[in-house]
Amino acid sequence: MKLRNLLFLMALLPMSQTVQAGVWDNITGYFKGPIKPEPPTIRVLLVHDVDGADLAVRGRYSLYDPYSKSHISSRFAGKSRKIQAAGDGLKWGEAFPGLYQLRIEPDDASALVAVNDNDYEGLVYVYDIGGTISIVNEVPVENYIQSILSQYQNRNLEKETLSALAIAARTNAYYQAMNPKNTFWVVDAQKVGFKGRLPANSTTDEAVRLTRHMLMSRTGLYEGIATPFAVQFGSLPMSQLGKEVQVSRISIEEANAMAQKGEHAAQILAKAFPGSTIMLMQYSK
């Protein structure tokens, strides 16, 4: 066995609790391009074109102007107020005259921002567009996938089916993050089933964890580049992408039947998206 293949299989050893050694042989290998500092994020539209919204931060946070990228202030205690457009700028308890966009960044990575009583991780952007409010959550892709996969937690799907769904969802998220259709956000929370931070779920969370940083690509290891593409797998609400979306050749039910017969996620995806390659991206963080 070639050294790089051996090293790759060693990297997959934590998955041995749920899959047997060697079943991921049709994963080509590590992404050969430059190691990126950290995984991508994706911007999700939470509310759009509303008069105002309840906005709360639990813990210390900082405020920035996303347009000028300038620091506005740092706050050492949480805050819960209605945010709205005030004609001459945003108002969140206090007024921000002349400021029509705001980025809220919790100082603690574990802190949450609540919008209309729903909790969100990561950064939150507020925009005053023509006198109405739109709010966007910029969240790590892995957290985003955990949220949208929650719709399958009560469907009694096999672990390998959920793992295949996680890889497909990640592939789509990477593609969307790389090809945004909008300057301010990439996907609409209502259309993709994004619900922010949810209580832990052992089955879907494990599928995301075991496939961490794995995605499908139309190119492979030897090209030295990963090219994720837009996918539609079963009922996953991913196809906000027009004609370029590649539709799965099997349904969720057919994928689950394969898993019940002992086939693993890579085999399921090979049948769902022929010609694609599964790659493991590398990050320094």
Side-chain angles (χ1 to χ4, degrees), residues 83-285:
I83 192 162
Q84 55 193 355
D88 61 344
L90 291 167
K91 183 177 182 181
W92 185 31
E94 63 187 296
F96 296 90
L99 190 65
Y100 297 90
Q101 58 280 323
L102 194 64
R103 188 180 90 206
I104 302 169
E105 184 174 330
D107 291 348
D108 185 345
S110 63
L112 301 175
V113 179
V115 179
N116 291 335
D117 296 325
N118 293 318
D119 290 334
Y120 299 94
E121 300 169 292
L123 308 178
V124 169
Y125 297 78
V126 183
Y127 299 100
D128 173 358
I129 303 174
T132 61
I133 294 294
S134 293
I135 301 180
V136 174
N137 179 207
E138 183 176 358
V139 63
V141 163
E142 299 299 315
N143 303 70
Y144 168 76
I145 297 167
Q146 283 182 320
S147 182
I148 65 173
L149 249 62
S150 66
Q151 62 188 291
Y152 292 103
Q153 63 187 21
N154 297 320
R155 290 187 56 175
N156 297 318
L157 296 178
E158 299 290 324
K159 289 182 179 180
E160 294 301 326
T161 308
L162 289 170
S163 292
L165 284 167
I167 295 172
R170 184 180 297 106
T171 300
N172 204 68
Y174 269 61
Y175 177 87
Q176 290 172 310
M178 293 167 57
N179 300 276
K181 302 294 185 181
N182 186 293
T183 303
F184 302 101
W185 60 83
V186 176
V187 294
D188 187 325
Q190 293 185 352
K191 293 181 179 179
V192 299
F194 178 72
K195 301 176 182 177
R197 174 72 175 271
L198 297 171
N201 179 272
S202 58
T203 55
T204 54
D205 290 353
E206 184 180 32
V208 176
R209 179 181 65 82
L210 292 177
T211 64
R212 185 174 177 83
H213 303 328
M214 292 182 185
L215 69 155
M216 293 183 292
S217 173
R218 286 201 176 108
T219 54
L221 178 69
Y222 301 104
E223 289 86 353
I225 185 171
T227 54
F229 52 97
V231 301
Q232 175 75 41
F233 189 7
S235 59
L236 274 178
M238 298 177 179
S239 57
Q240 301 181 72
L241 301 158
K243 295 181 180 179
E244 69 267 33
V245 65
Q246 182 171 335
V247 178
S248 169
R249 296 191 180 182
I250 61 174
S251 66
I252 297 292
E253 291 72 24
E254 290 171 319
N256 206 47
M258 291 177 66
Q260 289 171 346
K261 293 177 181 177
E263 297 189 63
H264 52 78
Q267 292 170 317
I268 293 170
L269 291 172
K271 188 169 184 178
F273 303 99
S276 63
T277 297
I278 298 178
M279 304 187 73
L280 177 62
M281 306 297 289
Q282 291 189 95
Y283 299 99
S284 58
K285 292 185 180 180

